[in-house]
Amino acid sequence: MTAEKVVSSRTRHAILGGLAHEAASGYEIRKFLSETTSHFWKEGYGQIYPTLERLVEEKLIEVASREAGGRERVRYRILPAGSVELRTWIRSPRFQLKSGRNELLLKLFFARRDDAAALLPQIQEYRVSMQKTAGIYSAFDLDADEIPDDSRSLIATTIDYSKAAARMQIEWCERTLDLLASLAKAD
Amino acid sequence: MTAEKVVSSRTRHAILGGLAHEAASGYEIRKFLSETTSHFWKEGYGQIYPTLERLVEEKLIEVASREAGGRERVRYRILPAGSVELRTWIRSPRFQLKSGRNELLLKLFFARRDDAAALLPQIQEYRVSMQKTAGIYSAFDLDADEIPDDSRSLIATTIDYSKAAARMQIEWCERTLDLLASLAKAD
DNA sequence: TTTAAATATATCAAAAGAATACATTGACAC
DNA sequence: GTGTCAATGTATTCTTTTGATATATTTAAA
Protein backbone atom coordinates (compact mmCIF):
# COMPACT_ATOMS: atom_id res chain seq x y z
CA MET A 1 0.00 0.00 0.00
CA THR A 2 2.43 2.63 -1.08
CA ALA A 3 -0.10 5.37 -1.56
CA GLU A 4 1.42 7.98 -3.83
CA LYS A 5 1.30 11.37 -2.26
CA VAL A 6 -0.42 13.83 -4.55
CA VAL A 7 1.45 17.03 -5.10
CA SER A 8 -0.72 19.83 -6.35
CA SER A 9 1.82 22.45 -5.52
CA ARG A 10 2.91 25.10 -7.95
CA THR A 11 6.31 25.28 -6.33
CA ARG A 12 7.52 22.60 -8.72
CA HIS A 13 6.91 24.87 -11.66
CA ALA A 14 8.65 27.81 -10.11
CA ILE A 15 11.66 25.57 -9.52
CA LEU A 16 11.57 24.10 -13.01
CA GLY A 17 11.41 27.59 -14.42
CA GLY A 18 14.39 28.64 -12.38
CA LEU A 19 16.41 25.62 -13.44
CA ALA A 20 15.45 26.14 -17.07
CA HIS A 21 17.39 29.35 -16.74
CA GLU A 22 20.48 27.63 -15.34
CA ALA A 23 21.60 24.81 -13.05
CA ALA A 24 21.48 25.88 -9.43
CA SER A 25 21.28 24.87 -5.78
CA GLY A 26 18.18 25.32 -3.66
CA TYR A 27 19.69 28.41 -2.17
CA GLU A 28 20.41 29.89 -5.57
CA ILE A 29 16.93 29.15 -6.85
CA ARG A 30 15.41 30.97 -3.96
CA LYS A 31 17.75 33.88 -4.50
CA PHE A 32 16.87 34.05 -8.17
CA LEU A 33 13.16 33.99 -7.47
CA SER A 34 13.35 36.60 -4.77
CA GLU A 35 15.28 38.90 -7.08
CA THR A 36 12.94 38.52 -10.00
CA THR A 37 9.44 37.32 -9.15
CA SER A 38 9.06 38.31 -5.53
CA HIS A 39 6.34 40.84 -6.29
CA PHE A 40 3.99 38.07 -7.37
CA TRP A 41 5.69 34.84 -6.34
CA LYS A 42 7.84 33.89 -3.39
CA GLU A 43 9.21 30.56 -2.29
CA GLY A 44 10.77 29.62 1.01
CA TYR A 45 13.43 27.02 1.70
CA GLY A 46 10.96 24.86 3.54
CA GLN A 47 9.19 24.39 0.26
CA ILE A 48 12.13 24.32 -2.11
CA TYR A 49 14.30 21.60 -0.61
CA PRO A 50 11.66 18.89 -0.29
CA THR A 51 10.37 19.70 -3.75
CA LEU A 52 13.83 19.35 -5.26
CA GLU A 53 14.09 15.83 -3.87
CA ARG A 54 10.70 15.04 -5.22
CA LEU A 55 11.59 16.31 -8.67
CA VAL A 56 14.70 14.13 -8.68
CA GLU A 57 12.60 11.07 -7.84
CA GLU A 58 10.29 11.98 -10.70
CA LYS A 59 13.26 12.31 -13.03
CA LEU A 60 12.36 15.86 -14.03
CA ILE A 61 15.69 17.15 -12.75
CA GLU A 62 18.99 15.56 -11.72
CA VAL A 63 21.91 16.31 -9.47
CA ALA A 64 24.48 18.23 -11.48
CA SER A 65 27.19 18.47 -8.85
CA ARG A 66 27.65 17.82 -5.19
CA GLU A 67 30.22 19.47 -3.00
CA ALA A 68 30.79 17.81 0.36
CA GLY A 69 32.88 18.79 3.37
CA GLY A 70 31.15 20.44 6.30
CA ARG A 71 28.72 22.55 4.35
CA GLU A 72 27.34 20.70 1.42
CA ARG A 73 26.10 22.21 -1.79
CA VAL A 74 24.01 20.33 -4.29
CA ARG A 75 23.37 21.81 -7.69
CA TYR A 76 20.52 20.57 -9.83
CA ARG A 77 19.98 20.61 -13.56
CA ILE A 78 16.73 20.30 -15.50
CA LEU A 79 16.12 17.20 -17.63
CA PRO A 80 14.23 17.08 -20.94
CA ALA A 81 11.17 15.67 -19.19
CA GLY A 82 11.32 18.66 -16.86
CA SER A 83 11.30 21.11 -19.74
CA VAL A 84 8.30 19.37 -21.21
CA GLU A 85 6.49 19.57 -17.88
CA LEU A 86 7.32 23.26 -17.63
CA ARG A 87 5.95 24.08 -21.06
CA THR A 88 2.85 21.97 -20.51
CA TRP A 89 2.11 23.92 -17.37
CA ILE A 90 2.63 27.29 -19.06
CA ARG A 91 0.18 26.39 -21.78
CA SER A 92 -2.44 24.63 -19.72
CA PRO A 93 -5.50 26.80 -19.14
CA ARG A 94 -5.50 26.59 -15.36
CA PHE A 95 -4.03 29.06 -12.97
CA GLN A 96 -4.58 30.13 -9.45
CA LEU A 97 -4.69 33.57 -7.96
CA LYS A 98 -4.24 34.06 -4.28
CA SER A 99 -4.78 37.53 -2.98
CA GLY A 100 -2.42 38.66 -0.31
CA ARG A 101 -3.10 39.96 3.13
CA ASN A 102 -3.08 43.60 3.99
CA GLU A 103 -3.20 44.19 7.71
CA LEU A 104 -3.57 47.92 7.27
CA LEU A 105 -6.80 47.52 5.31
CA LEU A 106 -8.03 45.15 7.98
CA LYS A 107 -7.41 47.83 10.58
CA LEU A 108 -9.24 50.43 8.51
CA PHE A 109 -12.15 48.06 8.14
CA PHE A 110 -12.57 47.72 11.90
CA ALA A 111 -11.62 51.28 12.80
CA ARG A 112 -13.79 54.10 14.09
CA ARG A 113 -13.47 57.80 13.54
CA ASP A 114 -11.45 58.33 16.68
CA ASP A 115 -8.77 55.95 15.43
CA ALA A 116 -8.08 58.20 12.45
CA ALA A 117 -5.24 60.12 14.02
CA ALA A 118 -3.38 56.93 14.89
CA LEU A 119 -3.89 55.48 11.42
CA LEU A 120 -2.56 58.47 9.58
CA PRO A 121 1.15 57.81 10.15
CA GLN A 122 0.65 54.16 9.32
CA ILE A 123 -0.62 55.05 5.91
CA GLN A 124 2.21 57.47 5.40
CA GLU A 125 4.61 54.63 6.08
CA TYR A 126 2.74 52.48 3.61
CA ARG A 127 3.06 55.13 0.96
CA VAL A 128 6.78 55.44 1.50
CA SER A 129 7.29 51.72 1.16
CA MET A 130 5.26 51.66 -2.05
CA GLN A 131 7.23 54.53 -3.48
CA LYS A 132 10.38 52.57 -2.82
CA THR A 133 8.93 49.57 -4.61
CA ALA A 134 7.85 51.68 -7.56
CA GLY A 135 11.36 53.05 -7.81
CA ILE A 136 12.84 49.58 -8.00
CA TYR A 137 10.66 48.51 -10.90
CA SER A 138 11.14 51.74 -12.78
CA ALA A 139 14.87 51.23 -12.62
CA PHE A 140 14.63 47.63 -13.74
CA ASP A 141 16.80 47.02 -16.75
CA LEU A 142 15.24 44.73 -19.27
CA ASP A 143 18.14 45.11 -21.65
CA ALA A 144 20.39 43.22 -19.28
CA ASP A 145 22.39 40.60 -21.11
CA GLU A 146 21.25 37.51 -19.26
CA ILE A 147 17.66 37.89 -20.40
CA PRO A 148 17.09 35.90 -23.56
CA ASP A 149 15.60 38.00 -26.32
CA ASP A 150 12.95 35.40 -26.82
CA SER A 151 11.18 36.10 -23.55
CA ARG A 152 12.04 39.75 -23.04
CA SER A 153 8.65 41.17 -23.93
CA LEU A 154 6.84 38.55 -21.87
CA ILE A 155 8.88 39.41 -18.83
CA ALA A 156 8.15 43.06 -19.50
CA THR A 157 4.48 42.39 -18.87
CA THR A 158 5.23 41.24 -15.34
CA ILE A 159 7.20 44.38 -14.65
CA ASP A 160 4.44 46.45 -16.14
CA TYR A 161 2.09 44.78 -13.70
CA SER A 162 4.22 45.51 -10.67
CA LYS A 163 4.67 49.13 -11.65
CA ALA A 164 0.96 49.61 -12.17
CA ALA A 165 0.21 47.93 -8.84
CA ALA A 166 2.63 50.18 -6.98
CA ARG A 167 1.27 53.30 -8.65
CA MET A 168 -2.29 52.33 -7.84
CA GLN A 169 -1.43 51.85 -4.19
CA ILE A 170 0.37 55.16 -3.94
CA GLU A 171 -2.64 56.95 -5.34
CA TRP A 172 -4.89 55.16 -2.90
CA CYS A 173 -2.65 56.25 -0.03
CA GLU A 174 -2.97 59.83 -1.14
CA ARG A 175 -6.74 59.74 -1.31
CA THR A 176 -6.92 58.01 2.04
CA LEU A 177 -4.54 60.39 3.74
CA ASP A 178 -6.73 63.29 2.69
CA LEU A 179 -9.77 61.64 4.15
CA LEU A 180 -8.11 60.71 7.42
CA ALA A 181 -6.72 64.18 7.82
CA SER A 182 -10.18 65.65 7.54
CA LEU A 183 -11.58 63.14 10.04
CA ALA A 184 -8.77 63.74 12.48
CA LYS A 185 -9.17 67.49 12.25
CA ALA A 186 -12.89 67.27 12.97
CA ASP A 187 -11.98 65.28 16.09
CA MET B 1 7.74 24.33 32.62
CA THR B 2 4.52 25.40 31.03
CA ALA B 3 6.09 27.44 28.30
CA GLU B 4 3.49 29.86 27.03
CA LYS B 5 3.10 29.57 23.35
CA VAL B 6 3.51 32.95 21.73
CA VAL B 7 0.79 33.84 19.30
CA SER B 8 1.90 36.36 16.76
CA SER B 9 -0.99 35.62 14.49
CA ARG B 10 -3.21 38.36 13.17
CA THR B 11 -6.15 36.01 13.03
CA ARG B 12 -6.99 36.98 16.58
CA HIS B 13 -7.60 40.54 15.51
CA ALA B 14 -9.75 39.61 12.58
CA ILE B 15 -11.87 37.54 14.96
CA LEU B 16 -12.05 40.24 17.60
CA GLY B 17 -13.09 42.69 14.92
CA GLY B 18 -15.80 40.35 13.74
CA LEU B 19 -17.10 39.79 17.26
CA ALA B 20 -17.03 43.53 17.98
CA HIS B 21 -19.64 43.73 15.29
CA GLU B 22 -21.83 41.07 16.89
CA ALA B 23 -21.69 37.78 18.79
CA ALA B 24 -21.17 34.88 16.43
CA SER B 25 -20.03 31.31 15.94
CA GLY B 26 -16.83 30.34 14.15
CA TYR B 27 -18.81 29.57 11.06
CA GLU B 28 -20.53 32.93 11.13
CA ILE B 29 -17.29 34.79 11.65
CA ARG B 30 -15.80 33.18 8.63
CA LYS B 31 -18.88 33.95 6.62
CA PHE B 32 -18.80 37.58 7.69
CA LEU B 33 -15.14 37.95 6.79
CA SER B 34 -15.50 36.27 3.45
CA GLU B 35 -18.38 38.58 2.58
CA THR B 36 -16.63 41.75 3.59
CA THR B 37 -12.85 41.56 3.72
CA SER B 38 -12.06 38.69 1.41
CA HIS B 39 -10.32 40.93 -1.10
CA PHE B 40 -7.58 41.67 1.39
CA TRP B 41 -8.12 39.24 4.24
CA LYS B 42 -9.31 35.65 4.36
CA GLU B 43 -9.54 33.22 7.22
CA GLY B 44 -10.17 29.50 7.13
CA TYR B 45 -11.83 27.32 9.75
CA GLY B 46 -8.55 25.68 10.56
CA GLN B 47 -7.38 28.98 11.89
CA ILE B 48 -10.60 30.29 13.40
CA TYR B 49 -11.63 27.44 15.69
CA PRO B 50 -8.34 27.02 17.55
CA THR B 51 -7.98 30.78 17.87
CA LEU B 52 -11.43 31.09 19.39
CA GLU B 53 -10.46 28.62 22.11
CA ARG B 54 -7.29 30.53 22.70
CA LEU B 55 -9.13 33.83 23.03
CA VAL B 56 -11.46 32.29 25.60
CA GLU B 57 -8.49 31.12 27.66
CA GLU B 58 -7.09 34.62 27.48
CA LYS B 59 -10.43 36.04 28.59
CA LEU B 60 -10.75 38.33 25.61
CA ILE B 61 -13.99 36.67 24.57
CA GLU B 62 -16.48 34.33 26.23
CA VAL B 63 -19.03 31.75 25.25
CA ALA B 64 -22.35 33.48 24.73
CA SER B 65 -24.48 30.44 24.03
CA ARG B 66 -24.05 26.80 23.37
CA GLU B 67 -26.54 24.65 21.53
CA ALA B 68 -26.02 20.92 21.90
CA GLY B 69 -27.69 17.93 20.29
CA GLY B 70 -25.87 16.22 17.46
CA ARG B 71 -24.39 19.25 15.80
CA GLU B 72 -23.22 21.75 18.30
CA ARG B 73 -23.10 25.45 17.78
CA VAL B 74 -21.12 27.74 20.01
CA ARG B 75 -21.54 31.48 19.82
CA TYR B 76 -18.93 33.79 21.24
CA ARG B 77 -19.13 37.34 22.51
CA ILE B 78 -16.34 39.86 22.92
CA LEU B 79 -15.33 40.99 26.44
CA PRO B 80 -14.14 44.46 27.43
CA ALA B 81 -10.53 43.25 27.49
CA GLY B 82 -11.02 42.07 23.92
CA SER B 83 -12.24 45.46 22.80
CA VAL B 84 -9.21 47.06 24.37
CA GLU B 85 -6.93 44.61 22.60
CA LEU B 86 -8.68 45.34 19.30
CA ARG B 87 -8.26 49.08 19.63
CA THR B 88 -4.66 48.77 20.74
CA TRP B 89 -3.90 46.75 17.65
CA ILE B 90 -5.62 49.21 15.32
CA ARG B 91 -3.59 52.07 16.72
CA SER B 92 -0.24 50.35 17.05
CA PRO B 93 2.14 51.37 14.30
CA ARG B 94 2.92 47.87 13.07
CA PHE B 95 1.33 46.10 10.19
CA GLN B 96 2.24 43.38 7.81
CA LEU B 97 1.70 43.17 4.09
CA LYS B 98 1.86 39.88 2.36
CA SER B 99 1.70 39.96 -1.38
CA GLY B 100 -0.36 37.28 -3.00
CA ARG B 101 0.57 34.73 -5.60
CA ASN B 102 -0.31 35.10 -9.23
CA GLU B 103 0.31 31.93 -11.18
CA LEU B 104 -0.45 33.63 -14.46
CA LEU B 105 2.33 36.16 -13.98
CA LEU B 106 4.65 33.31 -13.09
CA LYS B 107 3.82 31.65 -16.37
CA LEU B 108 4.44 34.85 -18.28
CA PHE B 109 7.77 35.23 -16.57
CA PHE B 110 8.96 31.82 -17.73
CA ALA B 111 7.26 31.89 -21.11
CA ARG B 112 8.77 32.23 -24.58
CA ARG B 113 7.33 33.82 -27.68
CA ASP B 114 5.88 30.58 -28.93
CA ASP B 115 3.78 30.23 -25.80
CA ALA B 116 1.95 33.46 -26.59
CA ALA B 117 -0.97 31.87 -28.39
CA ALA B 118 -1.69 29.56 -25.48
CA LEU B 119 -1.46 32.37 -22.95
CA LEU B 120 -3.89 34.63 -24.70
CA PRO B 121 -7.10 32.88 -23.62
CA GLN B 122 -5.78 32.60 -20.09
CA ILE B 123 -5.47 36.34 -19.86
CA GLN B 124 -8.90 36.78 -21.32
CA GLU B 125 -10.25 34.61 -18.54
CA TYR B 126 -8.35 36.67 -16.01
CA ARG B 127 -9.89 39.84 -17.36
CA VAL B 128 -13.38 38.42 -17.15
CA SER B 129 -12.90 37.39 -13.55
CA MET B 130 -11.58 40.85 -12.68
CA GLN B 131 -14.51 42.51 -14.37
CA LYS B 132 -16.80 40.43 -12.24
CA THR B 133 -14.93 41.49 -9.12
CA ALA B 134 -15.06 45.13 -10.13
CA GLY B 135 -18.79 44.82 -10.62
CA ILE B 136 -19.28 43.48 -7.12
CA TYR B 137 -17.46 46.36 -5.49
CA SER B 138 -19.17 48.97 -7.60
CA ALA B 139 -22.51 47.63 -6.49
CA PHE B 140 -21.51 47.58 -2.85
CA ASP B 141 -23.96 49.51 -0.75
CA LEU B 142 -22.35 51.49 1.99
CA ASP B 143 -25.63 52.96 3.08
CA ALA B 144 -26.79 49.60 4.33
CA ASP B 145 -28.27 49.86 7.77
CA GLU B 146 -26.00 47.52 9.65
CA ILE B 147 -22.95 49.65 9.05
CA PRO B 148 -22.45 52.04 11.94
CA ASP B 149 -22.17 55.61 10.79
CA ASP B 150 -19.05 56.00 12.83
CA SER B 151 -16.94 53.75 10.63
CA ARG B 152 -18.66 54.21 7.30
CA SER B 153 -16.03 56.40 5.69
CA LEU B 154 -13.21 54.20 6.97
CA ILE B 155 -14.79 51.14 5.43
CA ALA B 156 -15.25 53.12 2.24
CA THR B 157 -11.46 53.35 1.93
CA THR B 158 -11.18 49.57 1.77
CA ILE B 159 -13.78 49.39 -0.97
CA ASP B 160 -12.03 52.18 -2.81
CA TYR B 161 -8.90 50.07 -2.64
CA SER B 162 -10.52 46.98 -4.06
CA LYS B 163 -12.14 48.90 -6.88
CA ALA B 164 -8.88 50.55 -7.81
CA ALA B 165 -7.08 47.20 -7.70
CA ALA B 166 -9.62 45.56 -9.98
CA ARG B 167 -9.51 48.44 -12.42
CA MET B 168 -5.74 48.39 -12.54
CA GLN B 169 -5.74 44.68 -13.31
CA ILE B 170 -8.30 45.03 -16.06
CA GLU B 171 -6.22 47.71 -17.72
CA TRP B 172 -3.13 45.52 -17.44
CA CYS B 173 -5.01 42.67 -19.09
CA GLU B 174 -5.91 44.89 -21.98
CA ARG B 175 -2.35 46.06 -22.55
CA THR B 176 -1.07 42.52 -22.27
CA LEU B 177 -3.66 41.08 -24.62
CA ASP B 178 -2.58 43.59 -27.27
CA LEU B 179 1.02 42.56 -26.90
CA LEU B 180 0.31 38.83 -26.98
CA ALA B 181 -1.88 39.21 -30.00
CA SER B 182 0.92 40.88 -31.91
CA LEU B 183 3.40 38.21 -30.82
CA ALA B 184 1.06 35.39 -31.77
CA LYS B 185 0.36 36.94 -35.15
CA ALA B 186 4.06 37.22 -35.92
CA ASP B 187 4.37 33.50 -35.12
C1' DT C 1 -42.28 11.36 2.80
C1' DT C 2 -38.06 10.02 0.99
C1' DT C 3 -34.50 12.04 -1.53
C1' DA C 4 -31.60 15.64 -2.95
C1' DA C 5 -29.43 19.96 -2.30
C1' DA C 6 -27.87 23.66 0.48
C1' DT C 7 -26.24 25.19 4.80
C1' DA C 8 -23.61 24.87 9.13
C1' DT C 9 -19.90 23.05 11.88
C1' DA C 10 -15.54 21.10 12.61
C1' DT C 11 -11.19 18.37 11.82
C1' DC C 12 -6.97 17.21 9.66
C1' DA C 13 -3.37 16.92 6.15
C1' DA C 14 -0.62 19.58 2.96
C1' DA C 15 1.59 23.88 1.63
C1' DA C 16 3.71 28.14 2.65
C1' DG C 17 6.30 31.06 5.50
C1' DA C 18 9.35 32.51 9.40
C1' DA C 19 12.93 31.69 12.41
C1' DT C 20 16.95 29.58 13.38
C1' DA C 21 21.28 26.76 13.09
C1' DC C 22 25.49 26.10 11.29
C1' DA C 23 29.47 26.54 7.92
C1' DT C 24 32.49 29.31 5.09
C1' DT C 25 34.62 33.30 3.43
C1' DG C 26 36.48 37.69 3.58
C1' DA C 27 37.76 42.10 5.83
C1' DC C 28 39.71 44.55 9.27
C1' DA C 29 42.00 45.68 13.82
C1' DC C 30 45.65 44.56 16.44
C1' DG D 1 50.04 36.57 10.85
C1' DT D 2 45.86 35.85 13.83
C1' DG D 3 41.60 36.54 16.21
C1' DT D 4 37.11 38.64 15.69
C1' DC D 5 33.21 40.09 13.29
C1' DA D 6 30.15 40.54 9.53
C1' DA D 7 28.34 38.90 5.31
C1' DT D 8 27.08 35.16 2.61
C1' DG D 9 25.64 30.50 1.57
C1' DT D 10 23.17 26.28 2.78
C1' DA D 11 19.74 23.73 4.93
C1' DT D 12 16.43 22.27 8.68
C1' DT D 13 12.72 22.87 11.77
C1' DC D 14 8.65 24.79 13.53
C1' DT D 15 4.46 27.63 13.11
C1' DT D 16 0.88 29.49 10.52
C1' DT D 17 -2.17 29.26 6.76
C1' DT D 18 -4.75 26.99 3.36
C1' DG D 19 -7.62 23.51 1.38
C1' DA D 20 -10.08 19.27 1.33
C1' DT D 21 -12.96 16.39 3.57
C1' DA D 22 -16.30 14.48 7.11
C1' DT D 23 -20.49 14.85 9.29
C1' DA D 24 -24.89 16.84 10.89
C1' DT D 25 -28.99 19.60 10.02
C1' DT D 26 -32.32 22.06 7.52
C1' DT D 27 -34.83 23.25 3.44
C1' DA D 28 -36.69 22.30 -1.01
C1' DA D 29 -38.22 19.21 -4.40
C1' DA D 30 -40.10 15.16 -6.43
Side-chain angles (χ1 to χ4, degrees), chain B residues 154-165:
Chain B
L154 281 311
I155 291 179
T157 66
T158 70
I159 296 171
D160 176 24
Y161 184 95
S162 302
K163 272 195 222 169

Side-chain angles (χ1 to χ4, degrees), chain A residues 26-94:
Chain A
Y27 180 87
E28 290 167 333
I29 291 171
R30 178 175 138 118
K31 191 160 180 245
F32 172 72
L33 290 176
S34 81
E35 281 166 358
T36 53
T37 67
S38 58
H39 37 124
F40 56 83
W41 202 274
K42 289 197 184 98
E43 290 292 350
Y45 300 126
Q47 204 59 19
I48 288 178
Y49 288 106
T51 305
L52 281 169
E53 285 172 29
R54 179 70 61 97
L55 289 171
V56 169
E57 278 171 33
E58 295 177 25
K59 306 221 191 299
L60 298 181
I61 65 175
E62 68 178 2
V63 173
S65 71
R66 186 189 295 272
E67 288 166 36
R71 170 179 73 188
E72 120 177 286
R73 170 220 292 256
V74 185
R75 273 224 178 73
Y76 299 86
R77 149 194 323 136
I78 195 167
L79 291 173
S83 301
V84 171
E85 166 71 20
L86 176 63
R87 220 124 290 282
T88 304
W89 164 71
I90 289 175
R91 299 183 175 199
S92 87
R94 316 232 124 270

Side-chain angles (χ1 to χ4, degrees), chain B residues 79-128:
Chain B
L79 291 173
S83 301
V84 171
E85 166 70 21
L86 176 63
R87 221 123 290 282
T88 303
W89 164 71
I90 288 174
R91 299 183 175 200
S92 87
R94 315 232 125 271
F95 58 91
Q96 187 185 288
L97 308 169
K98 220 172 64 187
S99 63
R101 284 184 153 196
N102 188 321
E103 191 174 357
L104 190 50
L105 287 176
L106 192 66
K107 287 182 179 186
L108 282 167
F109 185 79
F110 289 129
R112 299 181 316 219
R113 258 161 201 279
D114 60 328
D115 296 314
L119 285 163
L120 223 133
Q122 301 188 57
I123 295 176
Q124 275 160 349
E125 190 196 325
Y126 187 30
R127 182 180 49 178
V128 169

Side-chain angles (χ1 to χ4, degrees), chain B residues 24-40:
Chain B
S25 68
Y27 180 86
E28 290 166 333
I29 292 171
R30 180 179 135 115
K31 189 155 180 253
F32 172 72
L33 290 176
S34 81
E35 281 166 358
T36 54
T37 68
S38 59
H39 37 124
F40 56 83

Side-chain angles (χ1 to χ4, degrees), chain A residues 10 13-14 17-18 32-33 36-43 87 89-115 118-119 122 125-126 130 150-151 153-155 157-158 160-161 164-165 168-169 172 175-176 179-180 183, chain B residues 10 13-14 17-18 32-33 36-43 87 89-115 118-119 122 125-126 130 150-151 153-155 157-158 160-161 164-165 168-169 172 175-176 179-180 183:
Chain A
R10 277 128 216 98
H13 298 118
F32 172 72
L33 290 176
T36 53
T37 67
S38 58
H39 37 124
F40 56 83
W41 202 274
K42 289 197 184 98
E43 290 292 350
R87 220 124 290 282
W89 164 71
I90 289 175
R91 299 183 175 199
S92 87
R94 316 232 124 270
F95 58 90
Q96 187 185 290
L97 308 169
K98 220 174 62 188
S99 62
R101 283 183 154 196
N102 188 320
E103 191 174 356
L104 190 50
L105 287 177
L106 192 66
K107 287 183 179 186
L108 283 167
F109 185 79
F110 289 129
R112 299 181 316 218
R113 260 160 199 280
D114 60 329
D115 296 314
L119 285 164
Q122 301 187 56
E125 190 195 326
Y126 187 32
M130 280 306 129
D150 193 42
S151 40
S153 52
L154 282 310
I155 291 179
T157 65
T158 69
D160 176 24
Y161 184 95
M168 173 253 132
Q169 289 174 81
W172 174 84
R175 290 196 300 278
T176 305
L179 174 77
L180 286 186
L183 287 183
Chain B
R10 277 129 217 98
H13 297 118
F32 172 72
L33 290 176
T36 54
T37 68
S38 59
H39 37 124
F40 56 83
W41 202 273
K42 287 196 186 97
E43 291 291 350
R87 221 123 290 282
W89 164 71
I90 288 174
R91 299 183 175 200
S92 87
R94 315 232 125 271
F95 58 91
Q96 187 185 288
L97 308 169
K98 220 172 64 187
S99 63
R101 284 184 153 196
N102 188 321
E103 191 174 357
L104 190 50
L105 287 176
L106 192 66
K107 287 182 179 186
L108 282 167
F109 185 79
F110 289 129
R112 299 181 316 219
R113 258 161 201 279
D114 60 328
D115 296 314
L119 285 163
Q122 301 188 57
E125 190 196 325
Y126 187 30
M130 280 305 128
D150 192 41
S151 41
S153 53
L154 281 311
I155 291 179
T157 66
T158 70
D160 176 24
Y161 184 95
M168 174 254 130
Q169 290 173 82
W172 174 85
R175 290 195 300 277
T176 304
L179 174 77
L180 287 186
L183 286 183

Side-chain angles (χ1 to χ4, degrees), chain A residues 139-149 152-153 155-156 159:
Chain A
F140 203 95
D141 185 13
L142 255 177
D143 297 332
D145 283 344
E146 338 96 53
I147 303 177
D149 197 61
R152 206 159 286 183
S153 52
I155 291 179
I159 296 170

